[in-house]
Amino acid sequence: MDIAIMKLRLRRQIGAVLIACVLSSQMFVAASAQWERIDPTNAAARSLSSDAREAAQLLGILPKVEKLIALKPTNNSGSLNDEQMALKIDVMDKVLGASLEVRMVAGRVDRELAWSYSGLNMLQAKRQKKLNLLTNLNFMQGGTLGVLSGPMFLHGLPKTGTTLLLIGSSVGLGLSTIALSQQRSGTKKVDGGTTVLADVFQMELPSSPAHQTEVINGYMNAVPPNATDGKTRNQKLVEGWKRGKYLRTDSEINLQKLSAYVPAGKDYRENIHLLQNRIRMLYDTQYTVEMLHAELLDLLRVTQ
Amino acid sequence: MIRRLSNILVAATLMLAAATAAHASAESDAKAFRDITLTPRSIPANEANGELREDAKEVAEVLDITNLVDRLRREKANYGNSREIQNIRLTCLWKLFTASEEVRQVVNECDYDLAQAQIALDGLMSKKQMMFFTLSTANFIQLGTLGIIKNVMGFSEVYHVAEREVAMAQFGTSIALAETNQLIGPTWSRKIDSRPTMLSHFFYENFKPKDNEVSYLWKFFNKPCPGFPDNLTRRQVLVRHWKDFGGMDIDNAKTVGKVTANITDVERENIKMLKKRVALLHDLQSHFEEFDASLYELHKAITN
């Protein structure tokens, strides 16, 4: 009896050990698969993604990046030889430069946004103030003429009383019409300097910009990796604005107004609608420019 | 008599001309601070001679790497793999990166202050707008209610006087409500519950950021700004700019306290002050970001 129980226990133990072995081997396989995914020395993980490749091409360092990737597996000690060190610094140098360029352009857009918001808020506040004033004025004039007409009726002058009420109604109608027309009013002189939108619209400007932005220009005029329509980032932006009705016409004057570019001898004014459209376009442009950060990050990861 | 009169006229004309000239000069002086850039302008002739751009030169001084930058520019054509050059490059890149991070830090602080101000402003604006609509609606309701009562009375000759009295009460109430609406609008305010904003560092000499002594960015802002009179530092130029650009009364401690959210001076903020704070913070943020452009130009000068 005892032997039978012992055999049963032994079988159970062997079974448990076998199950544990199978489970642990499965876990090992899973863990090693995971390790393969995150191991930076793995060749697949270290191959250039399309984004990283585009960034390397824009920065003119694709050969260096490829060389750095090729050199890495030959040295497992962790220390860098002079060549690797120089290559890494070259890559870091260019990535930092591009990152600063993105920050600079994003900063410029921030400034243009601040100007646009400042103008928009001013126009909207002015409009709201006018509308509130017109509404209150309407109540006040109606009330005053109404109060004045009361005694006329009481003192046997119904014609005068009615005339006053008639005037009140007419003025009320006039003020309401003015209020309606004010809802679409309000303009200001275009100021604050030409915005980054002039570059998106590919406008010819008389003076060169204060800072040359070759990488950003190249990035914005390039077709994104894996794009099927063959359109550049700038073209895609313009297309999106047309689809969203932010850009209703391609006329030169409209593009100049949106870019806040005033040619010599002209005097442009901007309204709330135009400022709202410009703000939307500036945000879109800033977002697109800042997407270069993601490509730079990809490049840094693949060369780390 | 005629001579006297003509003398008086001539004297008056001269005085008027002098006053106009003084006013015009004061106005043009004020306008000089309206739209400003805090970085020195590029001088193409010097750059054509191989000199460093003015803005890059100044940043190299601020980062204390002028000698290293000169050395790198001499050897820019071929950096090679020399450890010494790589060390110099690393030092320069390190400092550029540190300065860039400092910009990120203060921009983040500005973003936080802007978010706080926008939330407070939205709260006050919606309260103001709600009050306007409530009072306007109340006005329509009372006009409608009393109008119905009045017109019902009109069916009977007995209530002729009462009808007119009701009408007068109706119009009187309308005036009162409209006037209340007009007066109550600008009075909305709230307790300041945010920390002193980044603007405090500019309006209060003794309110210094904690990294004032070590930060390259603050060093840059404490330096005289090229192109402005009286050796004014960038901080001082910005304060003058806000006086002209934002209509800021810099001599009024209460106004400065409200705009900077410095609760040691005042305890409540209103819509006008919050709007001003938002405008100035946006402006400050964009001026902080100007530093990015100088960093970018310096980097461009040392990269190969």
Side-chain angles (χ1 to χ4, degrees):
Chain A
M1 183 68 182
D2 286 347
I3 294 169
I5 290 170
M6 277 176 72
K7 272 185 183 172
L8 192 67
R9 275 184 187 165
L10 194 65
R11 267 184 208 157
R12 273 186 191 166
Q13 277 174 354
I14 290 168
V17 169
L18 275 172
I19 289 168
C21 282
V22 171
L23 280 177
S24 57
S25 68
Q26 276 178 349
M27 280 168 70
F28 178 75
V29 170
S32 52
Q34 182 72 17
W35 177 249
E36 257 179 52
R37 272 205 296 277
I38 58 169
D39 179 14
T41 59
N42 182 292
R46 288 173 53 75
S47 68
L48 275 172
S49 67
S50 52
D51 282 354
R53 180 173 291 276
E54 191 197 14
Q57 274 168 342
L58 280 169
L59 304 183
I61 50 169
L62 186 58
K64 287 182 180 175
V65 169
E66 283 172 343
K67 194 169 183 188
L68 193 57
I69 292 172
L71 281 173
K72 185 71 185 271
T74 62
N75 183 356
N76 290 326
S77 65
S79 65
L80 301 175
N81 60 35
D82 283 358
E83 191 187 6
Q84 282 173 315
M85 171 75 102
L87 282 171
K88 274 213 155 182
I89 293 175
D90 276 348
V91 172
M92 196 178 82
D93 184 359
K94 293 289 178 188
V95 170
L96 178 66
S99 172
L100 283 171
E101 196 172 320
V102 174
R103 287 303 328 154
M104 182 182 70
V105 175
R108 180 186 162 190
V109 177
D110 273 340
R111 179 169 170 73
E112 290 159 4
L113 278 167
W115 273 91
S116 302
Y117 267 120
S118 158
L120 179 70
N121 290 341
M122 189 193 80
L123 287 178
Q124 279 181 332
K126 228 184 226 178
R127 181 177 71 177
Q128 200 57 46
K129 204 173 166 182
K130 266 186 200 166
L131 288 175
N132 289 1
L133 188 70
L134 281 169
T135 308
N136 286 333
L137 208 64
N138 216 343
F139 279 125
M140 279 187 209
Q141 68 83 24
T144 311
L145 292 173
V147 169
L148 287 176
S149 71
M152 302 298 160
F153 285 110
L154 291 173
H155 291 95
L157 297 165
K159 268 194 177 172
T160 317
T162 310
T163 309
L164 283 173
L165 287 179
L166 206 64
I167 292 170
S169 302
S170 308
V171 175
L173 194 66
L175 287 174
S176 305
T177 313
I178 294 171
L180 269 178
S181 69
Q182 285 294 319
Q183 283 180 2
R184 286 191 166 271
S185 76
T187 60
K188 65 178 269 295
K189 222 176 161 178
V190 173
D191 60 358
T194 309
T195 68
V196 76
L197 295 176
D199 296 337
V200 179
F201 297 137
Q202 316 269 318
M203 285 168 59
E204 295 282 334
L205 299 177
S207 58
S208 57
H211 305 280
Q212 297 295 331
T213 52
E214 290 95 354
V215 175
I216 300 289
N217 289 346
Y219 176 74
M220 295 300 281
N221 286 315
V223 178
N226 308 325
T228 50
D229 53 7
K231 287 185 177 155
T232 66
R233 290 181 175 87
N234 275 338
Q235 286 170 335
K236 282 189 95 96
L237 276 175
V238 173
E239 195 184 88
W241 295 332
K242 281 182 180 167
R243 213 174 28 244
K245 310 277 185 217
Y246 297 102
L247 185 64
R248 285 174 185 271
T249 161
D250 273 340
S251 78
E252 196 184 0
I253 292 179
N254 188 40
L255 297 185
Q256 285 175 343
K257 279 185 175 180
L258 282 167
S259 313
Y261 166 57
V262 186
K266 297 217 172 164
D267 184 20
Y268 287 155
R269 297 188 72 79
E270 53 197 8
N271 59 19
I272 290 176
H273 190 60
L274 185 116
L275 282 164
Q276 282 170 334
N277 287 345
R278 185 190 296 156
I279 286 171
R280 165 67 197 237
M281 291 179 187
L282 284 173
Y283 271 124
D284 282 347
T285 309
Q286 191 179 42
Y287 173 76
T288 310
V289 168
E290 288 191 322
M291 284 306 284
L292 180 56
H293 274 311
E295 295 196 356
L296 295 177
L297 185 62
D298 253 11
L299 185 58
L300 279 178
R301 280 184 178 146
V302 85
T303 51
Q304 74 186 351
Chain B
M1 182 70 178
I2 293 169
R3 250 185 216 172
R4 261 188 206 169
L5 264 175
S6 69
N7 283 344
I8 290 169
L9 270 173
V10 168
T13 314
L14 283 173
M15 278 166 70
L16 194 69
T20 312
H23 179 71
S25 111
E27 211 170 54
S28 70
D29 182 46
K31 273 183 183 163
F33 286 87
R34 193 155 292 222
D35 184 18
I36 56 165
T37 47
L38 296 180
T39 43
R41 296 204 181 278
S42 131
I43 306 170
N46 291 355
E47 287 151 33
N49 289 337
E51 279 185 36
L52 200 57
R53 270 177 70 115
E54 292 299 308
D55 47 1
K57 203 187 286 178
E58 193 186 6
V59 172
E61 277 170 30
V62 169
L63 302 187
D64 200 15
I65 50 172
T66 307
N67 293 338
L68 303 183
V69 167
D70 287 344
R71 172 87 195 271
L72 285 179
R73 291 186 75 223
R74 278 200 301 275
E75 307 201 17
K76 197 172 146 182
N78 184 21
Y79 281 151
N81 294 344
S82 131
R83 282 264 163 180
E84 192 198 352
I85 287 291
Q86 300 308 342
N87 280 341
I88 294 175
R89 288 180 78 193
L90 259 184
T91 309
C92 290
L93 292 179
W94 196 279
K95 288 204 172 188
L96 279 168
F97 189 53
T98 309
S100 166
E101 282 301 299
E102 283 174 4
V103 179
R104 300 283 75 69
Q105 185 210 341
V106 292
V107 166
N108 179 43
E109 300 270 353
C110 284
D111 274 338
Y112 180 76
D113 289 340
L114 272 168
Q116 296 278 319
Q118 291 284 16
I119 290 166
L121 183 61
D122 279 352
L124 286 183
M125 285 298 279
S126 55
K127 268 184 191 169
K128 180 186 164 185
Q129 212 52 35
M130 208 157 89
M131 180 54 79
F132 177 81
F133 283 124
T134 308
L135 285 174
S136 297
T137 309
N139 215 340
F140 281 121
I141 291 172
Q142 71 85 21
L143 279 172
T145 314
L146 293 179
I148 291 168
I149 295 169
K150 181 191 79 179
N151 288 328
V152 168
M153 285 172 164
F155 288 124
S156 166
E157 285 293 319
V158 182
Y159 300 116
H160 182 65
V161 176
E163 182 198 344
R164 288 296 130 207
E165 282 171 355
V166 169
M168 282 164 74
Q170 177 193 21
F171 294 125
T173 313
S174 179
I175 297 171
L177 284 173
E179 275 203 16
T180 312
N181 218 348
Q182 197 58 35
L183 294 173
I184 216 167
T187 61
W188 287 103
S189 70
R190 67 189 287 281
K191 210 174 168 186
I192 294 174
D193 58 1
S194 58
R195 59 176 195 175
T197 62
M198 287 297 283
L199 296 168
S200 305
H201 297 310
F202 290 81
F203 283 108
Y204 299 98
E205 284 287 325
N206 298 327
F207 195 87
K208 289 180 178 157
K210 61 179 182 205
D211 59 348
N212 187 56
E213 302 305 321
V214 292
S215 161
Y216 299 123
L217 182 67
W218 289 117
K219 196 172 159 188
F220 177 75
F221 272 89
N222 289 328
K223 282 188 75 171
C225 189
F228 285 92
D230 306 329
N231 247 4
L232 290 175
T233 65
R234 287 186 169 85
R235 279 169 186 254
Q236 291 165 329
V237 167
L238 266 183
V239 173
R240 285 282 298 273
H241 167 56
W242 291 331
K243 187 181 167 194
D244 296 337
F245 163 76
M248 180 77 191
D249 185 2
I250 53 176
D251 300 318
N252 186 333
K254 264 196 166 184
T255 307
V256 173
K258 280 180 186 173
V259 171
T260 57
N262 198 325
I263 51 167
T264 53
D265 289 324
V266 281
E267 284 185 345
R268 296 192 78 79
E269 57 197 0
N270 57 22
I271 291 173
K272 195 178 162 193
M273 291 298 132
L274 280 166
K275 278 186 176 172
K276 200 156 273 184
R277 188 187 303 161
V278 168
L280 297 194
L281 278 169
H282 267 305
D283 191 55
L284 176 62
Q285 192 177 35
S286 66
H287 284 299
F288 276 138
E289 286 174 335
E290 263 189 69
F291 195 54
D292 273 331
S294 299
L295 294 175
Y296 166 70
E297 289 298 342
L298 177 61
H299 176 268
K300 218 160 96 172
I302 58 170
T303 193
N304 63 357

